[in-house]
Amino acid sequence: MGQLTQKLRISREVTQQVDLSLRRELKSESACFFKGRRILVANLRDTIGSTLFLSSGDCLSGRGMSWMQAILLARGLSRGWGGICGAALTGAPFSQVLPQAMRGFHCSTATHNSEMSLVPRPPEPRQKPIKALAPHEELFRQGPGGERDKASFVRAVQNFGQHNVRKRGHVDFIYLALRKMREYGVERDLTVYNLLLDIFPKEVFRPRNVIQRIFLHYPRQQECGIAVLEQMENHGVMPNKETEFLLIQIFGRKSYPMLKYLRMRLWLTRFKNINPFPVPRDLPQDPVDLAKLGLRHIEPDLSARITVYQMPFSNELTSTEDPVQPHIVGIQSPDQQAALAHHDPARPIFVEGPFSLWLRSKCVYYHILRADLLPPEEREVEEIPEEWNLYYPMHLDLDYARSSWDDYEFDIDEVEEGPIFAMCIAGAHDQVTLAKWIQGLQETNPALAQIPVIFRLAGSTGELLTSSGLEEPTPPLREGQEEEGHLQRQQQGQS
Amino acid sequence: MSGCVLFLRRAAAARACRALVALTAGRRPLRTSPPSPSFAKELFLGKIEKKGVFPFPEVSQEELNEINQFVGPVEKFFAEEVDSRKIDREGRIPDDTLEKLKSLGLFGMQIPEEYGGLGLSNTMYARLGEIISLDGSITVTLAAHQAIGLKGILLVGNEEQKAKYLPRLASGEHIAAFCLTEPSSGSDAASIRTRATLSEDKKHYVLNGSKVWITNGGLASIFTVFAKTEVVDSDGSVKDKMTAFIVERDFGGVTNGKPEDKLGIRGSNTCEVHFENTKVPIENVLGEVGGGFKVAMNILNSGRFSMGSVVAGILKKLIELTAEYACTRKQFNKNLSEFGLIQEKFALMAQKAYVMESMTYLTAGMLDQPEFPDCSIEAAMVKVFSSESAWQCVSEALQILGGSGYMKDYPYERMLRDARILLIFEGTNEILRMFIALTGMQHAGRILTARIHELKRGNVSTIVETVGRRLRDSLRRTVDLGLTGDLGAVHPSLAESASKLEENVYYFGRTVETLLLRFGKSMVEEQLAMKRVANVLINLYGMTAVLSRASRAIRVGLRNHDHEVLLASMFCTEAYVQNLLSLSQLDKYAPENLDEHIKKVSRQILEKRAYLCAHPLESTC
């Protein structure tokens, strides 16, 4: 059971990561992040295949403009790839690709926020380095004490409509509004997106003849429309009939935003529920609740019980020696409890971790209590009791087995792993905290008092550390002490 | 009343020799392999074993008279003095009712006369069961007492144990209970926790543990208790094995919980029984030390067939009651009896009652034969068929009655509640289906071993023969197993039904062979297939029983035998179609075989422990 648990856990992690990378992919078509001298090739290879490979060595060797060229190539290729696909699908001219790629290059040199690649950055430092504010920025400026919520966002949008009867500069305004949405917390609100689309003047950009239809009619406006849809897609907002109506009114039925809309209608529904282990959209803020969620997420057994061994508590005034008490939340299933009760006390068990678990944009770290796999010669053969079922024979006394014709078992090489007895998520990853967890476990698992517990705490968490928007992982306490075993005989008296 | 008892005793004494037969039968040593295979086991090989089945077992005229004289007073008592509604409401059987049951001798129906019982044969026991069935609580109380509670003493008890306990049990002075089920152990004997340890002087065992859902637990003073004991094996190793004990309440340390509040059979006493350091003398070990498992199995297997007659009794009563209603209630200026959908229900009830009666008395007759083969499969089939028919028919009867069936003022809702337990106790129907199918498969598998080995090894002549037979089978050749024809066992007016049975039996035999070839000893895991095998077998046994009974009815010239022929051919046709479907579902590539889908659906549900489909009002926008 424990082995199965671990297997499942790993498969969940993989799904988790795939899910994450999928979402990243949606966010930026070429997820190339630059930050000073660091280059992170996050999931470029997924996006544009093996055509482009950036090794950080090449980039950091300082050979003049080579990294710039690389970016250019990356942007261009990915755009080009999208463009080719688009062209192949819609018959749009290929010539559209290059200018876009060029602009993409210009944009990416600005301070980069990985969020919306289709939304050009407002300050274009090369050309207008002095100007600080984007046009229409004043509409979003708040009075003192002004709330940043949906109502004020809607008010800003309406103000634009009122002040600008001719809707001059509406594209710039929409780009600005798109950037501002997160601040106002309306990035998942469909009505707001529809409101933004409503800013476009109607009927003006609709192609009226064959020539206009063949060539991209009002490209800047169409691209802006696509950007709105793109941002909706990134936040998983499904467009509705009103969106469709607006797009038809603005750009006509045969236009790129409309194509994008149709694709979203098709694919968003397919991808919305693709994760078999869904994570709630709004994660709990309380670390204990988040830990509970995370543990439920990686524990396949639904009868497993969550125990809070220690509530978070910080008080510098009363306690002198232990000012901060981190939370400890653990999970254990009845099967794991039984397996631990049957564990041979002569064999040590291990506390291992921290392992990372991503829940949307948050990362939590968990530890496991596990044992090594028994060597084959020591495993107990599960014997079938002679007198077992009072009503019907549990095994037939025949000397021929299932024919290969009915044997559906695939030939799978299974890697057996040792059993996992419990998991926990704690506020700190040091041995003192985890020893408290083990002590708490002893209350429900008396056998644990007899079993030696070895702490194998890794120094590195093994994940890329990023600072933006993620929970800051607690720095590992004992750097460089990886895999150093601390044999600690847990004695009854200690607990 | 005492005169009546006197009469019963005299009547019983008149059949001393027949009772002796039953007695020797009861004393038979326990054995696993019967002398000759039973009818049902032969069906697995595609054969019909006519001996014991055709002609339908009969009783002699004087025996018949005796039975009828037995039945009279008991029927009168149940009709006039038993208030089932009160028993159900108050949750207990009144003491005076119990006393009268005792004085009628109903607590010792199958105990031999030398120990003061009535010494009834299985057939007579079944007949009396029909009458007793009029009250569910009394039926269950009596069954728990004698069908399982004291059955151990009858089957494997030694002379001293019998002489000591049976007389007082037969008179009803002591009531018996059967203590096997535990909180952690239903049908899993390995997880029994109750333990009996031998004391230092080796004179007695000390019994500790708790049993749950013990019928008569609060009334009984004699318990058949199953507990784990340490037994030294032949190779010197110490093992835990189950042993049966006779425990008297007076041994001390026996307590019981309060009666459970149940859905149906509310008048029967069901409660927990606790044993705490109860000292049981070693003379009270039932059977051998460590032989408790077989004792338990034999007790459970022996008592099942009587449920058929119990249910038949209920159904016959129910048909009378509902027919009365249907013929008097008017809707749209018509009696209910004139509506086709109501008529259909009566035909169904009559057919079910007829089939289960036939199956029960056929089985009872087989059991009453000297040197009868092991009939536990037949008994289990009777139990499964009758309990399911009971539920279905009582439900249909409620349907005829409409709203009044649902009201507590009428007895029907009580009958429905009482009938529900029949599918659960004495082995749930699911478990019994596995028993029926696997026991037969074991028998067929042993006999076909050589053939299957040859097929697996690729013996050319066997393969060619098998393929040739398959080809002939696919052309639908007519099957003749000797039921019809000039010297056939079945009356010519039922020839059509008989040939349906023969065809089913033949193809069933083929299917069994295929299943053995496919699954071998891993058959145990194929529960869905086993269920179908059991269903086919139950139908085949029912068909045989009605054909045999109806043929006899025609030949003897019983009243309304044309009605019997109608019912018989109706059931045979229905069963034939059902069997064809089940057999095709057992075929691996048949479109009817949905096993893989069923397994997949349930696996997905059980993984999440919930219904998975999105709500119909949900959308992705």
Side-chain angles (χ1 to χ4, degrees), chain A residues 395-402, chain B residues 441-442 444-454 456-457 516 519-522:
Chain A
H395 51 101
L396 292 185
D397 183 18
L398 299 175
D399 55 355
Y400 41 93
R402 184 180 286 259
Chain B
M441 281 292 176
Q442 173 73 74
R446 275 209 197 108
I447 289 176
L448 295 175
T449 300
R451 216 180 118 68
I452 285 170
H453 273 304
E454 273 177 25
K456 288 206 171 185
R457 221 179 298 129
L516 280 167
F519 299 123
K521 60 185 170 193
S522 66

Side-chain angles (χ1 to χ4, degrees), chain A residues 248-290:
Chain A
I248 290 173
Q249 265 197 327
I250 301 162
F251 299 111
R253 203 170 272 287
K254 297 246 167 137
S255 61
Y256 286 97
M258 199 54 206
L259 186 66
K260 171 90 185 161
Y261 165 83
L262 290 174
R263 286 177 178 163
M264 280 168 76
R265 289 291 294 199
L266 178 69
W267 290 111
L268 281 189
T269 50
R270 264 93 180 140
F271 284 129
K272 195 179 177 199
N273 294 311
I274 203 159
N275 187 353
F277 308 106
V279 184
R281 206 185 72 183
D282 299 311
L283 291 171
Q285 293 303 315
D286 181 29
V288 176
D289 288 342
L290 188 67

